[in-house]
Amino acid sequence: LDHGRQTLPCGHVLHEVCVKEMRRKGASGRCPLCREASDDLQPHQVLVDKAVAEYMRKQYHECFHTASSILDEDPNNVAMIRLKCTLLKCGLGCYRDTDGAVQLLREHVPSGEPQILLCLAEILVDMRQVSDAEMIMQPLQNSRDPEVLYAWGEICKRQGRYPEAEHFWLQAAGMGEMRCLIGLGTIYQEKRQFDMAEQCFSEVLNASPHGEESALLFMASLRGEQGRTSEMEEFLERIEDPALEARKCMAR
């Protein structure tokens, strides 16, 4: 790279801006002059797919590095902003930095991108800044997207508005949003309607061949309340997600 120019391994020189645009728009990954393949021209989508695969394989350090490298060149890549913030929030592959995740998301709030607003609202709810989360969600108040309905349900539950939370979650659960079944299960558990809570958690577990790990945690909690300690331990032992380790210890 020299004063806005980039020399490829084949020897041809391209403008830096052109290289960035070719990668962002998904060009072939080959020199446009001689067609020789070059890692310097690898499309961003290839790296996005790589980052997602690393996350699924729990290669969090590699995932954080890949997501960060994409954002260095394409700072408005929504998928990678969300992924990096998830890693920062949970301390996966990096030091836990919830404030850093919030700062990164707030920088992109003016875009009005729904996925950015959703991700920020969910983190703010976890930080117990529920009023701020509700304000962030206002542009999405008429959306029927199941992820949005889930977020509204979470906000309502944190504010003690259980009937409204149940209303949002029932709608989203009907659209296949599994997290809403977990939310409904927690409401029923707090009401000591254990059969209904177990039905919700079991439906989530049955929908996944490996079991949704947060559902395992709540099922363990349910068994603990019922005094069925050995079954509680069995559910806890199935949890492998390091992000749930602290809550796993608390459940015991």
Side-chain angles (χ1 to χ4, degrees), residues 14-238:
L14 302 178
H15 288 107
E16 178 188 357
V17 173
C18 295
V19 170
K20 287 184 176 181
E21 283 300 293
M22 289 171 66
R23 298 188 69 190
R24 188 175 66 83
K25 294 184 177 180
S28 66
R30 296 178 178 274
C31 172
L33 301 175
C34 68
R35 309 304 297 163
E36 181 178 321
S38 171
D39 288 342
D40 293 340
L41 296 175
Q42 192 174 54
H44 284 161
Q45 188 58 48
V46 173
L47 292 176
V48 169
D49 294 342
K50 179 174 181 285
V52 172
E54 289 167 342
Y55 183 83
M56 297 299 291
R57 291 195 296 264
K58 300 184 180 180
Q59 297 172 335
Y60 300 123
H61 180 78
E62 294 84 350
C63 178
F64 184 82
H65 175 76
T66 303
S68 297
S69 66
I70 294 169
L71 290 173
D72 285 342
E73 294 191 15
D74 185 11
N76 297 317
N77 190 301
V78 174
M80 291 300 97
I81 292 170
R82 289 198 68 178
L83 182 56
K84 183 172 182 178
C85 288
T86 297
L87 297 170
L88 287 169
K89 178 185 71 171
C90 300
L92 300 174
C94 59
Y95 289 110
R96 186 186 300 271
D97 186 6
T98 305
D99 290 339
V102 169
Q103 180 180 345
L104 177 58
L105 290 163
R106 285 195 184 278
E107 289 172 1
H108 294 273
V109 163
S111 71
E113 170 59 47
Q115 293 300 313
I116 296 292
L117 302 181
L118 270 174
C119 189
L120 177 55
E122 289 178 1
I123 293 178
L124 290 173
V125 166
D126 288 342
M127 296 172 69
R128 305 185 187 280
Q129 298 178 20
V130 183
S131 296
D132 286 348
E134 186 173 17
M135 183 176 66
I136 289 293
M137 288 286 292
Q138 286 305 311
L140 305 178
Q141 60 183 331
N142 296 320
S143 172
R144 297 295 92 188
D145 182 281
E147 283 193 80
V148 175
L149 294 172
Y150 169 78
W152 277 120
E154 190 68 38
I155 288 170
C156 290
K157 182 175 184 288
R158 294 296 182 102
Q159 294 176 329
R161 296 150 53 190
Y162 281 25
E164 291 176 68
E166 190 171 354
H167 172 72
F168 283 121
W169 282 341
L170 283 170
Q171 286 186 69
M175 301 177 197
E177 178 56 75
M178 290 289 104
R179 292 181 300 170
C180 292
L181 289 172
I182 295 176
L184 288 166
T186 62
I187 288 178
Y188 299 141
Q189 184 175 347
E190 289 182 28
K191 292 180 178 179
R192 304 193 69 78
Q193 297 174 345
F194 293 145
D195 288 344
M196 294 180 68
E198 181 171 349
Q199 182 179 343
C200 290
F201 298 147
S202 295
E203 189 170 339
V204 177
L205 293 173
N206 292 335
S208 168
H210 303 291
E212 170 60 46
E213 297 208 347
S214 57
L216 291 171
L217 182 65
F218 285 113
M219 186 67 93
S221 171
L222 179 62
R223 289 292 183 257
E225 276 201 65
Q226 294 172 315
R228 296 156 67 175
T229 309
S230 61
E231 292 179 51
M232 178 190 77
E233 287 295 333
E234 288 176 10
F235 282 114
L236 290 175
E237 287 301 319
R238 291 167 59 186

